[in-house]
Amino acid sequence: MSLTLGVIADDYTGASDLANTLTKESVRTLQTIGVPDAALALPDADAVVVSLKSRSVPAEEAVKMSLAACAWLKARGASHILFKVCSTFDSTDAGNIGPVTDALRLATGAAIVPVTPAFPETGRTVFMGHLFVGTVPLNESPLKDHPLNPMTDADLRRVLARQSTGRVGLVPLKDVAAGVDAIRARLEALALDGRTAAIVDAVFDADLVAIGAAAAGLPLSTGASGLGLGLARALVAGGRVLSQAGDGGAITQGIAGLAAAVAGSCSAATLEQIAVAERVMPVLRLSAERLVTHPDEEVADALAWAKGRLAAGPVLIAASDNPEQVAQVQARFGRTAAGLAVEHGTAAISQGLVAAGVRRLVIAGGETSGASVDRLGLPAFLVGPEIAPGVPLLRTAGQAGEPMVLALKSGNFGGPDFFARAFALMGAGVA
Ligand SMILES: Nc1ncnc2c1ncn2[C@@H]1O[C@H](COP(=O)(O)OP(=O)(O)O)[C@@H](O)[C@H]1O
Ligand SMILES: O=C(O)[C@@H](O)C(=O)COP(=O)(O)O
């Protein structure tokens, strides 16, 4: 397999979001879980998105995992590496976007790295280096209350500089609007001035197309799905990838089995989606406290609840809670310990659901998805049609046993009826 584009994604929902964007742009794309085993037979692809669970681990670990993924992708011919981060730049001052970008820059020999999390389709735009979520700056959006990476500063130059060893510059919208040559010229000038990364403004998809054209000529970029769109357009236009329309129908072919959803995202979008799901399907609310103090009992009770209902249609099991409740649990047990306990619990529930015959599984939340997919030991995914912007259907690939169809929903993505829509596309409608 000879690749053109190699993507290193810092979480699994982000990886499927990016894989979705590339697939929509007709780039043959495969999503792997971690660096694939040498023995794993992979179909041909022009882009591989390696999914890591590296967003919230210590920076040294994130760097090590990302360098291994970079080496694997480069050994297979990838001429450009995109480090896929969250469109809301989820990270703390201790990392990991800065340290990983710095390490990949050295590994790829890049002089400067364009960085933009803009994803206009989902309302993420960057102006004068400041990230907006819809109509408000990042620090006024619900991301200020994220359980693991609360985002309290919208100035991405500052955010990235606090995490980086290098100096951070800006490619302002004025240059982006002037087109690819102006972007290249600004990046070169910033590199000459000793900047190692530059936040690039982008408000519309057209901005990202110009940024993608400039970035495709460099070894490395850091960004979200908007940058993926720009890179894909540049690679297709330059004849560097074999453009191929997807075969959406094949994704769900031959998959019957039961259907269920597991949620661990506490985003405002997911909380609303769970409330809406309660009107059309059975929903069980887990106790985060009990997942910390009596995990086996809470998991067993949840599985018993589900097994009594699955035959009648999809069910949803959610640990998700509002910021006040999450803060209480974190105050009692610590942020990391509470997060990990809930992830372990929801992963055990996913595993129990699959053991009970679930073959159509929706998981809400990036860390939550990572923990569940790891527990299920799934090595790779083929990418199917989109349920909502940034959320595709995925079909398992490369694993022994029966295939499954999954959706890994980024916490912030999807409309209020997301769960019902996902099950309908999976062929497991709700009442
Ligand atoms: N009720 C809860 N109390 C405390 N932490 C929780 C609760 N529910 C979920 N979590 C944790 O919050 C984090 C949510 O992150 P994630 O799954 O990445 O969602 P998102 O996609 O919204 O970022 C996970 O670590 C999860 O285990
Ligand atoms: O870019 C995005 O917003 C998403 O692809 C993403 O990274 C999702 O992360 P979570 O919200 O933690 O699922």
Side-chain angles (χ1 to χ4, degrees):
M1 176 171 41
S2 181
L3 290 179
T4 301
L5 178 62
V7 182
I8 303 166
D10 70 352
D11 83 345
Y12 296 9
T13 46
S16 73
D17 165 22
L18 199 277
N20 178 55
T21 294
L22 298 179
T23 303
K24 282 203 300 181
E25 294 298 322
S26 306
V27 177
R28 295 179 310 160
T29 304
L30 189 68
Q31 178 181 353
T32 68
I33 301 303
V35 174
D37 228 54
L40 186 69
L42 295 174
D44 270 348
D46 291 310
V48 168
V49 182
V50 176
S51 328
L52 301 180
K53 195 173 182 301
S54 60
R55 186 174 292 173
S56 304
V57 301
E60 320 80 73
E61 264 177 63
V63 165
K64 204 167 147 205
M65 293 159 94
S66 306
L67 288 175
C70 180
W72 187 90
L73 290 164
K74 279 170 66 74
R76 274 145 197 87
S79 55
H80 183 86
I81 301 289
L82 166 63
F83 175 36
K84 162 68 178 70
V85 299
C86 194
S87 62
T88 46
F89 223 68
D90 294 14
S91 53
T92 66
D93 286 351
N96 290 341
I97 299 176
V100 172
T101 299
D102 286 341
L104 292 176
R105 183 173 54 79
L106 295 176
T108 56
I112 186 161
V113 187
V115 179
T116 185
F119 186 12
E121 191 183 2
T122 56
R124 277 58 155 164
T125 55
V126 181
F127 181 61
M128 290 301 165
H130 288 66
L131 177 56
F132 290 81
V133 176
T135 56
V136 296
L138 176 65
N139 56 305
E140 292 175 28
S141 79
L143 271 299
K144 70 183 188 320
D145 298 316
H146 190 281
L148 304 177
N149 309 294
M151 300 305 292
T152 54
D153 188 356
D155 185 336
L156 299 185
R157 286 164 303 180
R158 277 197 308 240
V159 174
L160 189 59
R162 285 195 291 266
Q163 305 173 13
S164 303
T165 50
R167 290 164 65 222
V168 181
L170 172 72
V171 179
L173 194 61
K174 176 169 72 70
D175 291 334
V176 174
V180 58
D181 291 338
I183 299 169
R184 278 195 196 115
R186 177 66 68 178
L187 285 169
E188 278 167 22
L190 288 168
L192 279 175
D193 186 44
R195 314 284 164 150
T196 54
I199 303 297
V200 187
D201 282 352
V203 175
F204 300 108
D205 279 355
D207 301 329
L208 289 149
V209 171
I211 296 166
L218 302 174
L220 175 68
S221 57
T222 294
S225 253
L227 184 54
L229 175 140
L231 285 166
R233 296 261 173 104
L235 297 176
V236 171
R240 288 170 63 188
V241 296
L242 200 75
S243 168
Q244 181 180 281
D247 179 8
I251 289 290
T252 50
Q253 226 165 46
I255 295 173
L258 303 170
V262 174
S265 161
C266 300
S267 72
T270 303
L271 294 179
E272 184 185 6
Q273 288 156 358
I274 295 168
V276 169
E278 269 174 332
R279 298 184 209 140
V280 291
M281 68 185 83
V283 175
L284 176 70
R285 305 258 184 187
L286 296 166
S287 155
E289 185 183 328
R290 204 155 169 252
L291 281 174
V292 183
T293 57
H294 297 84
D296 295 345
E297 291 84 343
E298 185 68 354
V299 169
D301 287 353
L303 289 172
W305 175 90
K307 284 176 193 166
R309 288 167 176 80
L310 279 168
V315 303
L316 165 60
I317 300 177
S320 320
D321 220 330
N322 59 49
E324 297 72 36
Q325 294 299 121
V326 171
Q328 272 187 26
V329 170
Q330 290 182 336
R332 188 157 163 218
F333 302 106
R335 173 179 292 180
T336 308
L340 282 177
V342 175
E343 287 172 37
H344 288 150
T346 47
I349 289 170
S350 296
Q351 188 180 34
L353 289 170
V354 172
V358 167
R359 296 290 173 272
R360 295 176 273 198
L361 182 62
V362 179
I363 309 175
E367 299 299 329
T368 310
S369 294
S372 287
V373 168
D374 283 352
R375 183 72 70 100
L376 294 170
L378 305 174
F381 297 119
L382 302 172
V383 185
E386 177 179 274
I387 305 162
V391 196
L393 283 185
L394 302 169
R395 183 189 178 99
T396 53
Q399 108 269 33
E402 273 179 71
M404 288 177 61
V405 63
L406 284 93
L408 308 181
K409 190 194 84 74
S410 156
N412 299 300
F413 288 173
D417 63 346
F418 176 83
F419 288 106
R421 276 181 64 80
F423 287 128
L425 263 180
M426 289 177 168
V430 293

